[in-house]
Amino acid sequence: MRPESPVCPSLVAWGNAWLAGHVGLDEAADHVESVAGPAVAGEVPLRKYLANLRSGGLRGFRLALPAPGDPLGLSGPASFNSAAVDVGQAVIAVLDDRNIGLVPAQDLRGSSYVGVRLDVHDSGPIRHDLPSLSEAERDLSDAIRSATDALATVDGPAQARPPVGGLGGELAPGYPARAHRVSTLATRLALALRAADERGLTSGQIAARATALRELDRAVRRALVAAHHAIFEPLKSP
């Protein structure tokens, strides 16, 4: 499961917390850069870019965690979708009159500078067919049970336990406790999926495990998106 870098989830969580008044701009930008490195959008430093967006009518951030064949959170145009799928993540900045897509890339300058550049794209409308937090949590629980049952029949070498600290999936102040819980679980599962190793398995075992992990990956990505959008759920009409 990508992304290896948590820049987009962090930007969505802390950017929304900033817009909702739970943290200041400096705190939000500091947190994003603490997990992703120095960040620019186009050529503009992150703090200044966020301030400019707010002056331009910024209302919120949405998370996209697409995979090939599953454009989760994306609504076009094709160039933005393609760039987001290539890296497995994107942010949609929702403004009063338009939406802007931000796709991360590694920013290397000289011999020691390593940061993140957010390439700026036009983005389509917000997707309204994404799962709610309760739906995503239920689907994730079902996927965990199904994957556990399927993988119990696949013998192979023991997998190393992934580290549990510094995963980068922590939500910001202002999110409901349930969203924090779902995001933490999904982030840990995402790390475990990245660490999965096929060495020592037969072709049949690899195929069986791939099917189980593919469904789990889908549920993990939906759970992360739902958790990062949960700050908006109290604002929905009944």
Side-chain angles (χ1 to χ4, degrees):
M1 153 84 186
R2 290 175 297 162
E4 284 78 10
S5 166
V7 58
C8 288
S10 294
L11 178 54
V12 169
W14 287 83
N16 285 331
W18 163 56
L19 292 173
H22 298 290
V23 300
L25 173 58
D26 285 340
E27 184 179 358
D30 284 346
H31 186 88
V32 174
E33 294 189 323
S34 73
V35 299
V40 297
E43 298 299 326
V44 181
L46 181 62
R47 279 174 181 74
K48 183 176 181 181
Y49 188 77
L50 293 178
N52 291 344
L53 284 181
R54 191 163 198 178
S55 297
L58 178 65
R59 295 190 288 115
F61 292 100
R62 301 283 176 156
L63 179 63
L65 293 177
D70 181 19
L72 178 63
L74 300 176
S75 59
S79 58
F80 172 49
N81 286 6
S82 177
V85 170
D86 283 346
V87 298
Q89 60 176 313
V91 172
I92 296 93
V94 181
L95 282 72
D96 289 333
D97 58 348
R98 61 193 172 110
N99 294 338
I100 296 173
L102 302 172
V103 179
Q106 194 173 44
D107 189 10
L108 302 176
R109 305 179 192 183
S111 59
S112 59
Y113 181 95
V114 178
V116 173
R117 184 185 72 254
L118 297 166
D119 293 328
V120 181
H121 299 255
D122 291 329
S123 176
I126 294 173
R127 293 283 296 267
H128 294 290
D129 58 348
L130 300 174
S132 67
L133 183 61
S134 59
E135 292 169 339
E137 185 178 29
R138 182 174 61 251
D139 291 346
L140 182 60
S141 296
D142 291 343
I144 291 171
R145 284 194 295 270
S146 296
T148 300
D149 292 343
L151 295 176
T153 65
V154 180
D155 295 325
Q159 300 289 324
R161 291 177 61 86
V164 297
L167 303 183
E170 302 84 358
L171 294 178
Y175 277 82
R178 188 178 193 179
H180 282 272
R181 182 176 70 248
V182 171
S183 181
T184 297
L185 174 59
T187 301
R188 291 180 184 277
L189 288 170
L191 185 64
L193 287 169
R194 291 202 299 269
D197 188 354
E198 294 180 345
R199 289 175 295 180
L201 300 180
T202 67
S203 59
Q205 290 170 332
I206 290 173
R209 195 179 70 165
T211 299
L213 296 186
R214 185 165 54 248
E215 292 304 312
L216 182 57
D217 173 80
R218 182 178 184 273
V220 163
R221 288 184 289 108
R222 275 159 175 72
L224 285 169
V225 167
H228 282 75
H229 293 176
I231 199 168
F232 300 112
E233 288 197 5
L235 303 180
K236 291 182 179 179
S237 299

